[in-house]
Amino acid sequence: MGSKYTKRYSDECKRDAIELVRSSGRTVTDVARELGVSSESLRAWVKKARAVEAAPVTAAVSQGR
């Protein structure tokens, strides 16, 4: 359980932030600062999004498809 100071972000907010990092060519730190989000949080969201996107490809490759 997070502390009472932990801020929660909607999935839509996370998707928009991830897309801004990808499309802007700017660093995660710059985008996080602009959005008022922790750079550690944004970096984790981007990393998780990459893992989710890669998962179906990895599964298909391991099954010989």
Side-chain angles (χ1 to χ4, degrees):
M1 188 181 289
S3 78
K4 64 181 181 179
Y5 300 108
T6 301
K7 188 169 183 180
R8 302 285 178 191
Y9 297 95
S10 69
D11 290 340
E12 181 181 9
C13 176
K14 292 176 184 180
R15 280 191 304 269
D16 291 346
I18 292 164
E19 183 56 33
L20 185 56
V21 169
R22 291 176 172 173
S23 66
S24 69
R26 295 166 42 211
T27 65
V28 169
T29 303
D30 285 343
V31 173
R33 188 176 297 128
E34 176 185 328
L35 298 176
V37 175
S38 157
S39 59
E40 292 83 10
S41 294
L42 182 52
R43 192 169 286 109
W45 300 343
V46 171
K47 184 177 178 179
K48 183 176 180 180
R50 285 185 187 137
V52 168
E53 291 166 359
V57 173
T58 305
V61 169
S62 67
Q63 294 175 1
R65 292 185 184 167

